[in-house]
């Protein structure tokens, strides 16, 4: 490596450490990425699909001499991160006997090409990276794993669906269905999309197709909706579920309850359809925050479980990971973990809160009930157990519909997906509503338990329609003496609103089809 290449590698390492540090809010220390390690690190160029240059680093065990093949782990970078993002974890994995290759996905930082948002070229790149590793490192072609955070997670799953050589995957804060993530309830998750667009523009080069997609998404152009859905399906591993199941890799999915980029419901639905070895984990936090400390080489449960997953399925280690309860959850209210045999067992017990009466809402005004701010709110919940709050008795009833349970005599452990069932009568053909579930204390202060948006188009004004809406899955403990409250309003900073000016929404509970919210509870 020449002097110029050494300087380039040093600059890249520094930028990567700074980016990770800023995300974690932990200062600008470079210690974990810059410390001396026993493993060997090489910075290399790899020819991806169409000859596009992908910047990568390869970490091999210090004593690897090529006399025996070692399991390979490939790590595509997250959205906006440089190639050294995983260096601390890569060194740790290499020290335990893996060849680890991390590469900067196309269009970002020093890699060539343009950002195609996990398009076909990104999937082809992953196969090229595996080809290169098998040709230039002592990697075992029979024991290949892929893992990544966020964007890297999505690409890893897509690669496993298209490349049968991938034997195990760890998807950390990734997506299975891109449209169900940022367009759930047919509602644009505007802050999430704006964040992705801004980071992509700042750290990479968007393709013309990607720029158009983000523009169409923000413009709420219904004439472009079908094109947007087709674009998203092509980039969702859920579309290739049959291929993935046929290939049969062992799939570990880990995420955060408060993920404002890729909410948990789409991951849960995907997990239930996997037929091979699988594991599902959820913890408090927002997008990619549960695993962030591992990027600094600090102890981290997500990365520990990832290593155990690979140890068993790539090394054949009898570490018990295949015999543990495959669904592993950590409540937002406690520090312990809970294990379940499947997701159905998480939501086995349900109790309904009746939503009686008729309530009419005026739209276009934020009532004060909202789901917070992308990243900030869920991180506060993760670190200091402070979710978004609202003083429920003071919410203006002209813009917020409120129903409450009785006070609970014992703690209620909410686990899973709350379900809203009601009848809505609009005055316009289009509209948006947002449902919130609050834990309300004795003084009326409500802490957000969950939420979900819903948008409709093409309805007949004045004609009622039935609404069934799944709120985002969560794990939250309601203390004794508190109530649960369902609040519905029409404006939230996280989402784009589709209510025409002056529109109204009426919620009713017909005798033959009463309205309710179904609460999933853990048996005690």
């Amino acid at each position: 490596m020449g002097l110029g290449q050494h300087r380039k590698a040093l600059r890249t390492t520094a930028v990567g450490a700074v980016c990770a540090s800023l995300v974690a809010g932990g200062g600008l220390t470079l210690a974990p990425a810059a410390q001396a390690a026993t493993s060997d690190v090489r910075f290399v160029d790899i020819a991806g699909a169409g000859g596009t240059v992908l910047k990568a680093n390869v970490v091999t065990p210090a004593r690897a001499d090529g006399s025996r093949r070692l399991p390979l782990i490939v790590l595509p970078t997250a959205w906006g991160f440089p190639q050294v993002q995983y260096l601390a974890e890569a060194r740790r994995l290499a020290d335990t006997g893996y060849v680890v290759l991390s590469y900067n996905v196309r269009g970002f930082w020093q890699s060539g090409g343009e950002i195609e948002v996990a398009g076909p070229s990104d999937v082809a790149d992953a196969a090229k990276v595996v080809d290169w590793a098998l040709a230039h490192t002592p990697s075992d072609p029979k024991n290949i794993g892929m893992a990544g955070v966020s964007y890297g997670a999505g690409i890893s799953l897509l690669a496993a669906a298209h490349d049968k050589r991938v034997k195990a995957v760890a998807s950390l804060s990734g997506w299975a269905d891109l449209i169900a993530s940022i367009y759930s309830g047919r509602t644009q998750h505007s802050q999430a999309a704006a964040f992705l667009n801004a980071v992509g523009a700042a750290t990479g080069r968007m393709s013309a197709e990607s720029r158009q997609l983000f523009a169409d998404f923000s413009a709420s152009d219904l004439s472009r909706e079908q094109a947007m859905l087709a674009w998203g399906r092509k980039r969702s591993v859920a579309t290739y579920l049959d291929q993935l199941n046929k290939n049969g890799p062992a799939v570990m999915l880990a995420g955060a309850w408060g993920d404002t980029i890729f909410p948990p419901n789409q991951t849960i639905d995907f997990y239930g359809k996997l037929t091979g070895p699988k594991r599902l984990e959820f913890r408090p936090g927002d997008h990619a925050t549960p695993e962030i400390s591992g990027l600094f080489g600090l102890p981290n449960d997500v990365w520990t479980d990832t290593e155990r997953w690979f140890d068993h399925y790539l090394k054949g280690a009898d570490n018990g990971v295949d015999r543990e309860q495959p669904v592993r959850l950590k409540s937002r209210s406690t520090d312990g973990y809970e294990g379940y045999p499947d997701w159905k067992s998480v939501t086995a017990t349900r109790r309904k809160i009746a939503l009686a009466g008729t309530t009419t809402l005026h739209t276009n005004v934020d009532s004060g009930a909202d789901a917070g701010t992308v990243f900030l709110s869920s991180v506060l919940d993760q670190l200091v157990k402070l979710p978004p709050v609202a003083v429920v008795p003071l919410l203006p009833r002209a813009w917020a519909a409120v129903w409450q349970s009785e006070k609970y005599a014992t703690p209620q452990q909410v686990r899973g997906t709350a379900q809203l069932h009601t009848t809505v009568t609009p005055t316009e053909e289009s509209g948006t509503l947002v449902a919130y579930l609050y834990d309300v204390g004795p003084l009326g202060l409500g802490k957000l338990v969950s939420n979900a948006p819903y948008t409709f188009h093409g309805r007949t004004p004045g004609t009622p329609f039935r609404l069934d809406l799944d709120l985002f899955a969560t794990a939250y403990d309601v203390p004794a003496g508190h109530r649960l409250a369902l609040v519905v309003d029409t404006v939230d900073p996280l989402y784009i609103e589709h209510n025409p000016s002056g529109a109204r929404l009426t919620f009713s509970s017909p005798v033959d089809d009463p309205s309710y919210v179904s609460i999933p509870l853990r048996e005690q």
Side-chain angles (χ1 to χ4, degrees), residues 37 95 316 365 385 390 408 471 483 492:
D95 287 343
V365 174
K385 294 182 172 55
Y408 293 111
L471 277 63
R483 308 171 188 265
D492 190 293

Side-chain angles (χ1 to χ4, degrees), residues 177-232:
D177 187 327
L178 194 56
I179 294 299
S181 295
I182 61 174
Y183 193 52
S184 66
R186 208 178 177 185
T187 308
Q188 293 95 329
H189 296 212
S190 55
Q191 287 189 14
F195 170 81
L196 294 173
N197 193 23
V199 172
T203 61
R205 301 164 300 283
M206 287 278 197
S207 68
E209 182 185 31
S210 298
R211 288 195 302 271
Q212 185 63 52
L213 184 282
F214 277 104
D216 291 342
F217 187 87
S218 299
S220 304
D221 185 352
L222 288 179
S223 68
R224 296 285 299 167
E225 185 179 46
Q226 291 306 311
M228 184 178 69
L229 294 176
W231 179 92

Side-chain angles (χ1 to χ4, degrees), residues 18 38 66 79 109 115 149 153 200 206 217 222 264 315 318 341 409 415 453:
V18 168
T38 58
W79 185 269
W109 292 89
I115 300 169
V149 175
M206 287 278 197
F217 187 87
L222 288 179
K315 289 182 177 179
D318 185 14
R415 298 291 186 273

Side-chain angles (χ1 to χ4, degrees), residues 5 14 16 43 83 88 121 125 158-159 182 203 211 253 276 292 297 310 355 387 405 407 419 422 426 471:
Q5 290 174 300
F43 290 87
Q83 71 194 74
S121 294
D125 284 344
L158 285 163
I182 61 174
T203 61
R211 288 195 302 271
L253 306 170
I292 193 71
F310 286 138
L355 309 180
S405 71
K407 287 184 180 180
Q419 298 171 333
T422 191
L471 277 63

Side-chain angles (χ1 to χ4, degrees), residues 49-63:
T52 297
V53 174
L54 305 174
K55 296 293 181 177
N57 57 71
V58 184
V59 189
T60 52
R63 294 181 180 143

